[in-house]
Amino acid sequence: MYSYNTYFNNQYYNTIGSNKSRKAENVEQVEVKNMSKVTPRRNFKQMATVPFNPTFSASALRTTLISNDEKNKYIALQKNLDRHGKKELDALLKSGILLNAESSDNSTVLDNLYNMVSVERAPGLNAQSLLKDVISTLSNPYIITQQFGDIPSNYKTSVLNSYMNDKGMSQADSKEKMSAENDINVTHSGTCVAASIEFNLAKKEPAEFARFAERLSSKDNEVEKVIHLDKLADNTLDAIWLLNAFEVPYKMDNFNKAELTFKPDKYALTRAQIQTTNKDNGERSPIDVLMQSTFMQIGSQQSYNSLTDKRTGKFNQNDKGLIEFEKTFTESVVEDKNKISVTYQTVDENARLVGHETDMDTLKRHLTSALDAGENVILGYTQTDNNNIIINGHEITLTGYRKNPDGKLTFICNDTDDNMSKPIEYSEDYLLPKIHHAALPQAIVAKDVKLVENWVEGLKNYNEMKKQQQSNEKVMSNQYSLAA
């Protein structure tokens, strides 16, 4: 895992923002590029490779149920679906997605969907509803959203009491009660990173997405993932430092691999239960809730709270969203890929955008090369005020591009915060100058940028934050002594 000028001058980019000022157009024809090209695997250290993706490779598609076990599972799923659900299930079979087996344990989408309706789910979750949500998401990953739902009156008292008790707040204190009500009334979420990773998993690794969905919604409420440590850092000790720093539970059988346990936060099930019975149009599904909570937990060092959509954690002084370093770590372990976070904007100590680390042609080449290699690109962009002060950051996913008659490019994107269940378009002139960072394969950027291990940057920033915090505490202590 590598970075270039990473950490955004350490804290100014935080993926918490609204997208209300973006200019975009709907697009029906998508993925003009990034459809079926697969780069051959190369045998030298730290070269990012493009994974074999059976969803888009004709040679790997399997569209026929062969064994009696597969046929019986398919029939069982049909019995739990309405007419529309059966139609979507049939489409998944014909497209090759249903029998896709590119998951960590080689289970197919079909296997995991069957487990969803045949094995008991977590309390308050409905197996048939979950099945429908997963099938619909795999049919069209663009329906994934980060939009929170409200807490209805029949839930509010118990939820509020539980939250206040955990916080040690007095229910008899009207001010504390009002504060608690404001905390759990999430009007805009900071889960754009988590939702983008969820989208990418559903779009590029359908079997793994289905496995995550099945395990996170089960009674165990967790999913295990085996990762290759050399995709996290150059050596094992550095990879272990990262796992410990992010407080991800793990087991190691050797120095090559580790089995990680991912789990949503303690309040995620409550949110998922609410969305099971009270989901409105445009709001997150229970699966969205569980996935996004899990990814927020990973990135925030297990400090996320689904009720408030806030986090603490050692790497971020802001209580919303994830910063670049946290995002890169999360993406790396979820996908088990060597992700490189490349920073393109130059920002001063006052959060002012003052320039770019590369020219726009280089940035464009990086993005199109990744898309041509079959990779989606999760990137963060900024919004500035009239004085070029950064006021907002947001994450979206590039899924393709097309070349216009004038030679300029139009990028095809997914945004989990635009209230649309289809791709949008951005012209290169609009998008490229706004891009702060992007997660890219190492081979694409190695000749253009100086690569610095991301864990080194993270440790450096962590130590700087601790020193600053200690300095601030000392100043406050001295001020208190003088006042006394």
Side-chain angles (χ1 to χ4, degrees):
M1 186 166 61
Y2 293 89
S3 66
Y4 170 63
N5 187 28
T6 192
Y7 232 63
F8 194 173
N9 292 340
N10 296 338
Q11 287 292 322
Y12 293 119
Y13 184 89
N14 206 71
T15 54
I16 62 174
S18 169
N19 60 10
K20 305 308 178 187
S21 66
R22 292 194 307 277
K23 298 177 182 178
E25 298 176 358
N26 298 345
V27 58
E28 296 294 344
Q29 294 183 344
V30 300
E31 316 237 14
V32 179
K33 301 282 183 176
N34 189 20
M35 287 295 289
S36 60
K37 297 181 180 179
V38 178
T39 299
R41 194 173 186 90
R42 298 173 183 175
N43 296 318
F44 49 95
K45 188 177 181 182
Q46 292 296 340
M47 175 63 72
T49 57
V50 178
F52 181 66
N53 192 330
T55 304
F56 299 114
S57 177
S59 63
L61 292 179
R62 189 159 72 87
T63 60
T64 303
L65 301 167
I66 298 175
S67 68
N68 287 333
D69 179 63
E70 288 180 344
K71 294 174 182 178
N72 290 335
K73 287 178 178 177
Y74 189 85
I75 292 171
L77 294 183
Q78 286 184 315
K79 292 179 179 179
N80 284 276
L81 294 168
D82 59 16
R83 182 178 178 182
H84 179 70
K86 291 176 182 177
K87 185 176 179 179
E88 287 188 324
L89 181 68
D90 182 60
L92 291 182
L93 176 61
K94 291 178 179 177
S95 68
I97 292 176
L98 189 66
L99 298 177
N100 183 304
E102 294 293 307
S103 63
S104 291
D105 61 0
N106 298 316
S107 58
T108 64
V109 171
L110 175 63
D111 293 331
N112 288 294
L113 293 180
Y114 177 76
N115 288 344
M116 193 165 283
V117 294
S118 62
V119 180
E120 187 177 354
R121 298 295 90 195
L125 301 185
N126 180 277
Q128 287 73 27
S129 176
L130 293 169
L131 175 66
K132 178 181 180 299
D133 288 337
V134 175
I135 289 174
S136 294
T137 300
L138 291 175
S139 299
N140 178 23
Y142 292 90
I143 68 174
I144 291 170
T145 179
Q146 65 186 84
Q147 300 296 329
F148 270 52
D150 62 306
I151 299 177
S153 56
N154 57 314
Y155 280 95
K156 182 158 269 185
T157 298
S158 61
V159 170
L160 189 62
N161 288 344
S162 177
Y163 174 68
M164 292 184 72
N165 287 337
D166 285 349
K167 288 288 185 179
M169 303 170 77
S170 171
Q171 297 177 21
D173 189 318
S174 59
K175 289 185 178 180
E176 289 198 345
K177 186 174 183 179
M178 183 178 296
S179 174
E181 288 178 343
N182 289 334
D183 283 346
I184 65 176
N185 181 28
V186 179
T187 56
H188 184 79
S189 87
T191 62
C192 55
V193 168
S196 295
I197 294 173
E198 180 193 1
F199 168 83
N200 214 29
L201 200 62
K203 192 82 169 67
K204 306 297 286 187
E205 301 181 62
E208 189 70 341
F209 177 87
R211 189 180 74 87
F212 268 61
E214 192 278 319
R215 295 303 302 143
L216 292 176
S217 64
S218 71
K219 288 196 302 180
D220 293 336
N221 203 209
E222 64 184 27
V223 61
E224 292 75 32
K225 175 86 176 187
V226 175
I227 68 164
H228 296 79
L229 295 174
D230 62 358
K231 294 182 181 179
L232 202 54
D234 269 347
N235 63 70
T236 300
L237 292 179
D238 296 340
I240 292 173
W241 180 89
L242 274 169
L243 294 177
N244 288 331
F246 279 88
E247 303 182 26
V248 177
Y250 67 93
K251 296 185 295 185
M252 289 180 58
D253 293 328
N254 54 55
F255 283 94
N256 299 317
K257 296 180 180 180
E259 183 183 76
L260 280 54
T261 300
F262 303 146
K263 190 176 179 70
D265 74 285
K266 62 182 290 186
Y267 292 115
L269 185 57
T270 298
R271 283 281 186 189
Q273 290 167 344
I274 291 171
Q275 293 305 101
T276 297
T277 57
N278 293 271
K279 179 182 178 295
D280 297 322
N281 289 334
E283 291 179 353
R284 299 191 300 176
S285 70
I287 291 298
D288 292 337
V289 173
L290 297 172
M291 288 265 195
Q292 291 170 31
S293 165
T294 299
F295 301 151
M296 289 298 295
Q297 279 284 80
I298 295 170
S300 68
Q301 306 93 66
Q302 313 298 309
S303 70
Y304 182 65
N305 185 320
S306 284
L307 284 186
T308 63
D309 190 39
K310 293 181 180 180
R311 46 74 55 86
T312 53
K314 62 177 72 74
F315 293 122
N316 192 354
Q317 294 173 326
N318 197 304
D319 64 2
K320 293 276 278 188
L322 300 175
I323 57 174
E324 182 183 354
F325 177 53
E326 296 172 326
K327 173 243 186 188
T328 305
F329 175 82
T330 305
E331 199 174 349
S332 297
V333 297
V334 169
E335 297 183 15
D336 190 27
K337 294 179 183 178
N338 188 341
K339 290 290 182 176
I340 307 165
S341 185
V342 183
T343 302
Y344 292 99
Q345 291 183 335
T346 305
V347 182
D348 68 16
E349 65 276 7
N350 297 312
R352 184 190 301 275
L353 175 60
V354 296
H356 294 82
E357 299 290 335
T358 64
D359 59 80
M360 293 299 103
D361 285 340
T362 300
L363 169 55
K364 180 165 62 173
R365 175 167 52 81
H366 288 172
L367 299 179
T368 55
S369 296
L371 293 169
D372 288 343
E375 293 282 343
N376 288 341
V377 179
I378 299 177
L379 61 83
Y381 72 80
T382 59
Q383 295 173 335
T384 60
D385 63 15
N386 293 333
N387 297 313
N388 255 14
I389 301 295
I390 293 175
I391 57 176
N392 195 28
H394 187 56
E395 300 280 326
I396 60 174
T397 306
L398 300 189
T399 61
Y401 68 93
R402 69 163 181 266
K403 194 171 185 178
N404 302 321
D406 63 0
K408 293 291 185 71
L409 300 184
T410 295
F411 287 97
I412 314 302
C413 313
N414 176 61
D415 190 331
T416 58
D417 192 30
D418 61 3
N419 299 314
M420 290 190 288
S421 57
K422 53 187 175 182
I424 56 176
E425 293 182 348
Y426 288 128
S427 69
E428 65 171 80
D429 290 338
Y430 175 81
L431 180 62
L432 295 183
K434 296 180 182 297
I435 294 176
H436 170 259
H437 62 264
L440 297 165
Q442 177 188 346
I444 289 171
V445 299
K447 65 181 181 180
D448 296 317
V449 301
K450 180 181 179 181
L451 299 177
V452 179
E453 282 199 82
N454 213 3
W455 75 269
V456 174
E457 293 292 331
L459 179 58
K460 176 183 175 182
N461 187 267
Y462 177 45
N463 289 332
E464 288 176 353
M465 285 173 57
K466 286 185 68 176
K467 289 179 181 178
Q468 184 62 47
Q469 183 180 10
Q470 291 169 355
S471 176
N472 292 341
E473 290 174 351
K474 184 176 181 180
V475 170
M476 291 182 64
S477 177
N478 289 338
Q479 289 176 343
Y480 179 78
S481 299
L482 290 173

